[in-house]
Amino acid sequence: MTQKYEVIVAGAGHNGLIVAAYLAKAGVKVLVVEGQDIIGGGVMSKEGLAAPGFVTDMASVCHGFIQPNPVLKNDELELKSKYGLEYITPEKQVAVVFPDDRAIIFHRDVDKTCQSIAQFSEKDADAYRKFYDLTSKQLDMLTAGLYSPTPRFGAFSAALEGTQEGRDLLHAMLISGNDIANEWFEDDHTLIACNRFVSENMMDPRVDGSALNLYLFIPVCHKFGWPLAVGGSGALSQSLGRCIIDHGGEIRTSSWVKKFKIEAGECKGVILESGEEILATKAVVTNFSIKQLDERMLGAENVTEHYSTRVKNLCFQEYQAMLQGYALNEAPSYKAGKDVNESFLVEFAPDTMLDFNKEFDSYSYGQPWTTSPLCMTLTRWDTSRAPAGKHTLYLYHYEPYNLAGGAQRWDEIKEQVADEILNNYRKRTTNMGSENIIGRWISSPLDKERRNPAWIQGNFNHIGSQLIQQYGNRPFPEVQDYRLPVEKLYLCGPSTYPGPGVIGGGRAAVQVVMEDLGIDFDDVVG
């Protein structure tokens, strides 16, 4: 018999899981359908990828931006109090290490951060304190807007123009991260550290619209830090799964959705690759990429030419990433010293903005880059991720998907590029010889696309965060309210506001779904 549910959530990324968890808590009969063998999407960890007994985060690690979200801040789903979610927040957050092994250390403590910046520029240290004072006052306003539906871009901009604080934010929205850094700081070391923060959203820091990343990253670093979930990044997804099941919801893995069942302009359910149909009487919510939701998945008769053109013309992010997960006998020891060893996130960078910009130019021409990795030894804080006394290494590097000569070349050069990154990393450590390495796992941009169909061209952000595709423009105005152009079909996830990263934007999407279902969201969370 054909199975029926009130709501089906297609895709078990953390945003889809959040939608399902709130609906299940509200008493809705909900089913989550996921193609992979475990839930989580980009918030996923697996044991045994690098070596048996070692846990590797397969994409995301830091969960800073979801900390102010009421889903965690108020524990609205009891993920922390009932379903086992636990975080550790290191004191030394980020170390940006330069070629001479001097480093800017971003501590939770603002004073200590300023002291670190002062070794390069006293003026920048003073400016950093002022910048933090400004952005920390605006953080509540910024983050409050991340977890509820956003107004249309015009209304949002008009509202910001009403106050000086709002006009400052509007200014930051319209320029690049590099621009805002140059307005505040003078020394290349400080500029590089700030631009590296901006680039974490997979945006070239010189692209207009990227400056607001700095308005978020710096105050979040000090107010909330960059917490890691005990047991792996996927612990967040697993706690959501337990919440869903505990409230009567169901989760099916290894069940790929082929298309949506649409009749007379209304979504009736999903059709799996196996041919099985599962029906939804009230709604279907998907956290697929908007790029997947074209006439092939929705049916040509159900979408307009205007919609199809909008989807086709959406831009991807400027670059993607290569990730290596290592199983180690001992934790890496950095030549830069104790403070860097004790830093949660270590990034290597050049010491001039000219060389920094060359890296991003390289990506635009399809050329790999291997000298600026981001590294984390998570077992320094969370020993549950490896056998006793052993360690893991998360070694991450921006890379282009579209290589000069074609993306398929990744199959030919993946090992070579990974080895070059490792060799450059070894030069900055004292103990990363082959005798320290038990095993490793490599994921190229092409591998990411193959693993997750929503990550087209390796884009785990789905689409870029250029201003034209952000805020009330994400993914485009006709779909900015999470409602797709088919009745009872909704979109959540990175393709929608607030965009990519572990933010928990599914909380905003579920409010729209509940409104249409006649459910009072405040009653559910209150």
Side-chain angles (χ1 to χ4, degrees), residues 159-410:
L160 289 178
E161 287 184 333
T163 65
Q164 184 59 54
E165 186 180 62
R167 288 190 290 273
D168 288 342
L169 287 176
L170 189 58
H171 171 71
M173 286 170 53
L174 297 174
I175 63 175
S176 74
N178 188 50
D179 290 335
I180 204 77
N182 277 290
E183 288 181 2
W184 283 86
F185 308 110
E186 62 175 14
D187 186 88
D188 271 14
H189 299 85
T190 319
L191 292 171
I192 288 166
C194 289
N195 275 290
R196 183 70 194 209
F197 270 134
V198 173
S199 72
E200 300 295 349
N201 200 31
M202 312 307 283
M203 294 183 75
D204 186 320
R206 296 168 293 183
V207 171
D208 286 345
S210 63
L212 205 58
N213 292 344
L214 202 57
Y215 269 63
L216 284 166
F217 269 93
I218 284 179
V220 165
C221 178
H222 298 296
K223 282 198 167 186
F224 299 98
W226 302 113
L228 64 150
V230 174
S233 182
L236 170 61
S237 303
Q238 295 301 317
S239 69
L240 286 162
R242 288 190 287 272
C243 175
I244 292 165
I245 292 169
D246 193 42
H247 285 97
E250 296 180 34
I251 299 173
R252 286 182 56 175
T253 56
S254 302
S255 300
W256 292 104
V257 172
K258 181 178 181 180
K259 64 183 300 185
F260 296 91
K261 183 177 177 62
I262 299 171
E263 296 176 354
E266 183 177 297
C267 190
K268 301 289 189 179
V270 298
I271 302 172
L272 304 184
E273 290 282 0
S274 64
E276 179 185 358
E277 296 185 5
I278 309 174
L279 302 183
T281 59
K282 294 185 176 180
V284 175
V285 185
T286 177
N287 47 191
F288 289 0
S289 168
I290 182 67
K291 282 283 196 177
Q292 295 174 279
L293 302 176
D294 56 14
E295 59 272 9
R296 291 168 298 179
M297 222 172 212
L298 301 183
E301 68 279 11
N302 297 309
V303 295
T304 65
E305 182 179 353
H306 177 78
Y307 172 88
S308 297
T309 300
R310 285 283 207 185
V311 171
K312 179 183 177 181
N313 291 337
L314 288 167
C315 302
F316 288 121
Q317 59 203 42
E318 279 87 12
Y319 43 89
Q320 292 73 37
M322 170 173 275
L323 173 60
Q324 300 179 63
Y326 283 83
L328 303 178
N329 284 307
E330 60 185 36
S333 179
Y334 295 105
K335 293 177 180 178
K338 181 174 180 288
D339 282 345
V340 174
N341 282 338
E342 294 174 352
S343 295
F344 172 45
L345 192 157
V346 178
E347 299 185 284
F348 293 97
D351 53 7
T352 70
M353 280 300 299
L354 177 62
D355 287 336
F356 181 83
N357 288 331
K358 285 179 181 178
E359 177 179 345
F360 296 92
D361 292 338
S362 179
Y363 303 143
S364 68
Y365 289 105
Q367 301 293 338
W369 196 267
T370 61
T371 59
S372 305
L374 176 155
C375 335
M376 284 176 273
T377 306
L378 302 166
T379 42
R380 286 186 180 274
W381 297 272
D382 179 11
T383 58
S384 71
R385 296 171 181 240
K390 305 298 183 182
H391 286 276
T392 64
L393 172 65
Y394 179 100
L395 189 60
Y396 175 96
H397 209 296
Y398 303 150
E399 297 295 350
Y401 169 86
N402 289 303
L403 292 169
Q408 296 301 316
R409 285 190 60 230
W410 273 116

Side-chain angles (χ1 to χ4, degrees), residues 73-211:
K73 186 177 181 180
N74 300 337
D75 205 17
E76 288 178 342
L77 295 172
E78 301 180 286
L79 301 181
K80 294 187 288 186
S81 60
K82 189 174 181 180
Y83 299 114
L85 182 61
E86 182 182 354
Y87 283 102
I88 298 170
T89 306
E91 164 57 30
K92 293 171 184 172
Q93 292 285 287
V94 179
V96 181
V97 187
F98 301 102
D100 61 1
D101 280 330
R102 289 188 297 169
I104 293 179
I105 310 289
F106 291 84
H107 300 254
R108 290 289 304 279
D109 184 274
V110 178
D111 290 337
K112 291 179 180 178
T113 304
C114 291
Q115 290 169 15
S116 186
I117 293 172
Q119 67 182 303
F120 299 102
S121 169
E122 291 279 359
K123 182 178 178 182
D124 282 357
D126 292 338
Y128 185 87
R129 186 183 305 281
K130 293 174 182 176
F131 186 77
Y132 171 74
D133 288 343
L134 169 70
T135 55
S136 64
K137 293 173 184 175
Q138 297 172 331
L139 184 63
D140 288 345
M141 180 172 67
L142 278 172
T143 55
L146 295 177
Y147 316 125
S148 297
T150 186
R152 293 196 175 275
F153 187 76
F156 179 56
S157 301
L160 289 178
E161 287 184 333
T163 65
Q164 184 59 54
E165 186 180 62
R167 288 190 290 273
D168 288 342
L169 287 176
L170 189 58
H171 171 71
M173 286 170 53
L174 297 174
I175 63 175
S176 74
N178 188 50
D179 290 335
I180 204 77
N182 277 290
E183 288 181 2
W184 283 86
F185 308 110
E186 62 175 14
D187 186 88
D188 271 14
H189 299 85
T190 319
L191 292 171
I192 288 166
C194 289
N195 275 290
R196 183 70 194 209
F197 270 134
V198 173
S199 72
E200 300 295 349
N201 200 31
M202 312 307 283
M203 294 183 75
D204 186 320
R206 296 168 293 183
V207 171
D208 286 345
S210 63

Side-chain angles (χ1 to χ4, degrees), residues 432-504:
M432 277 300 295
S434 57
E435 70 282 354
N436 192 23
I437 297 173
I438 299 168
R440 77 170 173 179
W441 169 78
I442 308 170
S443 177
S444 73
L446 183 59
D447 292 331
K448 289 177 173 59
E449 179 181 55
R450 288 169 173 159
R451 181 169 69 84
N452 190 330
W455 294 358
I456 300 169
Q457 295 190 12
N459 287 282
F460 46 73
N461 289 358
H462 289 188
I463 56 176
S465 296
Q466 299 90 341
L467 185 59
I468 193 62
Q469 296 176 180
Q470 192 54 289
Y471 313 106
N473 290 330
R474 191 171 186 90
F476 44 84
E478 293 82 359
V479 187
Q480 66 89 34
D481 62 356
Y482 310 99
R483 298 177 177 97
L484 285 158
V486 173
E487 289 296 317
K488 298 184 179 180
L489 182 59
Y490 301 83
L491 181 65
C492 68
S495 290
T496 64
Y497 179 83
V502 186
I503 300 176

Side-chain angles (χ1 to χ4, degrees), residues 405-417:
Q408 296 301 316
R409 285 190 60 230
W410 273 116
D411 288 336
E412 303 169 21
I413 69 170
K414 177 174 75 171
E415 296 277 347
Q416 174 190 338
V417 173

